[in-house]
């Protein structure tokens, strides 16, 4: 999808997206698990790529403390405006928001990178994740949190519901929700697999797990250079 489509879609839904993030049960725990996978220490610098309305920021800020630094990067001004409101409300002086492209992050020498619910939207997730690993300090970490089709045998009916959910919410792509190989949810899965494989190729994998009946994936790796 194009930058303009992404900005138009998320710009329109920014306020509602923020509410949804607050209301969905269990989502905070998944964000915490992704932040844990980054093995952050006080004083670290961590970047949240495709940070949206900033729902990960409290989890990251809590782990790096007031002496660390959190940078949120997103393409969509409306999403960044919601994140900015959150930062001002909390009075966080070490959380910075930047408009930029997660496929070509405007950062360097960082201790950790998080991408949550964003690799599925990138045209070339493998190249993007490889660039994420290039931004890391020695021993730096990357984590990806994503929702995809479940690989559990009993979930086939729920997978059809997931297909319809993804097709309805795909910016610029309404698909047919039939579960065919070119459906938005299949392409989402292919993107998540590509991101996972790029992490495996460029880092030492420290986490590769499925949660919530197989629908949620947390993958993380540690730089070996
Ligand atoms: C589904 S939301 C996820 C937001 C947030 N990471 C979360 O976990 O709630 C996807 C976000 O990625 C942003 N996005 C999509 N493509 C991007 C890109 N290439 N660079 C930066 N942000 C991007 C959108 O603007 C949107 O805010």
């Amino acid at each position: 999808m194009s930058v303009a489509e992404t900005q138009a879609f998320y710009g329109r839904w920014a306020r509602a997206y923020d509410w949804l993030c607050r209301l969905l049960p269990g989502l905070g725990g998944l964000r915490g698990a992704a932040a844990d996978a980054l093995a952050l220490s006080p004083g670290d610098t961590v970047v949240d790529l495709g940070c949206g309305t900033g729902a990960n920021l409290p989890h990251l800020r809590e782990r790096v403390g007031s002496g660390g630094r959190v940078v949120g990067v997103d393409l969509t001004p409306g999403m960044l405006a919601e994140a900015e409101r959150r930062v001002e409300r909390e009075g966080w002086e070490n959380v910075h928001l930047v408009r930029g492209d997660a496929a070509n992050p405007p950062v360097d020498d960082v201790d950790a990178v998080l991408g949550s619910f964003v690799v599925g939207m990138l045209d070339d997730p493998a190249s993007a994740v490889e660039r994420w690993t290039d931004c890391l300090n020695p021993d730096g970490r990357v984590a990806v949190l994503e929702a995809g089709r479940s690989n559990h045998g009993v979930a086939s009916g729920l997978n059809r519901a997931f297909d319809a959910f993804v097709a309805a919410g795909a910016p610029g792509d309404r698909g047919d929700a039939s579960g065919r190989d070119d459906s938005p949810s299949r392409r989402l899965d292919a993107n998540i697999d590509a991101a996972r494989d790029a992490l495996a190729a460029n880092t030492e994998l420290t986490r590769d797990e499925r949660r919530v009946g197989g629908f949620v994936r947390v993958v993380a790796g540690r730089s070996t250079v």
Side-chain angles (χ1 to χ4, degrees):
M1 74 203 60
S2 71
V3 169
E5 283 172 336
T6 299
Q7 289 176 329
F9 180 86
Y10 280 102
R12 194 167 341 117
W13 291 107
R15 186 62 62 87
Y17 183 88
D18 199 46
W19 273 104
L20 192 64
C21 285
R22 290 172 203 271
L23 292 176
L24 273 181
L27 193 50
L30 294 169
R31 295 185 188 284
D36 283 343
L38 289 172
L40 293 167
S41 300
D44 276 355
T45 295
V46 56
V47 182
D48 184 6
L49 293 173
C51 65
T53 60
N56 292 317
L57 299 178
H59 301 276
L60 301 175
R61 203 269 177 193
E62 182 188 333
R63 285 160 177 79
V64 303
S66 55
R69 206 155 51 115
V70 182
V71 181
V73 177
D74 203 284
L75 272 182
T76 306
M79 296 293 264
L80 284 172
E82 289 296 323
E84 194 68 61
R85 264 192 278 277
R86 184 189 297 260
V87 170
E88 275 170 24
R89 201 169 51 236
E90 300 291 343
W92 290 325
E93 291 184 355
N94 59 338
V95 180
H96 311 281
L97 299 167
V98 180
R99 190 162 153 194
D101 188 353
N104 203 3
V107 294
D108 212 354
D109 293 331
V110 301
D111 298 299
V113 170
L114 173 63
S116 71
F117 309 116
V118 71
V119 295
M121 305 181 62
L122 303 179
D123 290 336
D124 185 349
S127 301
V129 166
E130 196 175 333
R131 282 191 209 106
W132 298 2
T133 64
D134 289 342
C135 300
L136 297 175
N137 286 331
D139 201 38
R141 288 84 58 199
V142 173
V144 169
L145 170 67
E146 275 295 334
R149 301 181 96 247
S150 175
N151 62 347
H152 289 200
V154 291
S156 62
L158 290 174
N159 271 334
R160 278 195 290 281
F162 184 79
D163 293 339
F165 175 75
V166 173
D173 184 352
R174 288 291 168 265
D176 64 6
S178 67
R180 290 188 324 205
D181 280 353
D182 64 344
S183 70
S185 55
R186 298 283 181 165
R187 289 203 298 276
L188 172 62
D189 273 358
N191 274 15
I192 299 170
D193 285 341
R196 183 252 170 233
D197 292 348
L199 260 191
N202 291 282
T203 66
E204 177 194 348
L205 277 195
T206 53
R207 197 162 305 200
D208 188 3
E209 63 184 29
R210 286 181 182 260
R211 294 171 168 236
V212 196
F215 284 100
V216 173
R217 295 176 71 172
V218 182
V219 186
R222 181 183 294 276
S223 173
T224 52
V225 290

